[in-house]
Amino acid sequence: MLFDKTGTLTLGRPLVSQVEPVDPLDPGAADRLVQVAAALEQQSRHPLAHALLQEAGRRGLVLPAALEGTTVPGEGLEGRLEGEPERLRVGRLDWLAASGVPVAPEIRERQAQLETDGASLLAVASGPRLLGLVAVEDRPRADAATTLAALRRRGLALGLLSGDRRAAVERLGEQLGLEASELAWQLQPEQKLAH
């Protein structure tokens, strides 16, 4: 029996746990990072979009209108916002790097730290410039570990499929009593279907 991670074995209501602008000395950089990301995600139904919108509301941010937006499955969103001259992207750091956004080694180190702690990471870019990282965390469902244990006792083989990075999936697997061989990470939607 295969399970998706977000909203199945976790609550599916992740919250923003860290906002880390590339320029931490700019007093408005964290708010701008959340504002841009949430504005792009306004039309998305993805749980991470909900976390960004909730954080923008908590900060009292006014979101500019999205003029256009395109979802790149398994990678993120790109589009334009009212009043923003550059094309904006929110999604996987590797996706942004592959599309020409320079990523400094210290950003990669911070990515690894946050993901080891179990966070899902969203990177935000304006044109070719990385604005920063937003860490989002979800909690396991209270009944997930006991449900998996009961299914295992019935003789079912179990598996966890996720688009998240390895460290976050392994951490959840440990919490739920899943073996390393039962975990799959960084999967695109079509790869999940293939499994």
Side-chain angles (χ1 to χ4, degrees), residues 18-170:
Q18 298 279 345
V19 178
E20 301 200 0
V22 169
D23 182 3
L25 300 179
D26 177 350
D31 280 352
R32 174 164 161 65
L33 187 56
V34 172
Q35 184 181 42
V36 166
L40 270 180
E41 296 273 12
Q42 287 178 87
Q43 304 306 315
S44 175
R45 292 182 9 209
H46 194 281
L48 297 182
H50 179 72
L52 289 167
L53 291 166
Q54 204 169 15
E55 181 67 13
R58 189 185 73 73
R59 292 172 178 251
L61 302 174
V62 175
L63 302 182
L67 302 177
E68 60 178 88
T70 305
T71 298
V72 180
E75 301 292 356
L77 284 170
E78 59 183 338
R80 294 197 182 279
L81 298 178
E82 190 172 73
E84 294 284 341
E86 297 275 3
R87 190 158 189 81
L88 300 156
R89 284 171 283 172
V90 177
R92 293 179 185 273
L93 186 59
D94 290 342
W95 173 55
L96 296 182
S99 64
V101 175
V103 178
E106 58 270 17
I107 298 293
R108 290 287 188 188
E109 289 171 19
R110 189 61 183 136
Q111 173 191 24
Q113 290 170 347
L114 290 166
E115 289 175 343
T116 298
D117 292 341
S120 295
L121 220 57
L122 293 169
V124 183
S126 175
R129 190 170 55 92
L130 184 66
L131 298 179
L133 305 174
V134 179
V136 180
E137 294 187 56
D138 199 358
R139 295 181 313 266
R141 293 174 65 101
D143 60 349
T146 55
T147 300
L148 291 175
L151 292 170
R152 193 181 302 283
R153 282 192 303 274
R154 292 182 179 198
L156 291 172
L158 303 175
L160 169 61
L161 308 177
S162 179
D164 289 341
R165 293 183 61 95
R166 180 178 185 162
V169 175
E170 287 180 333

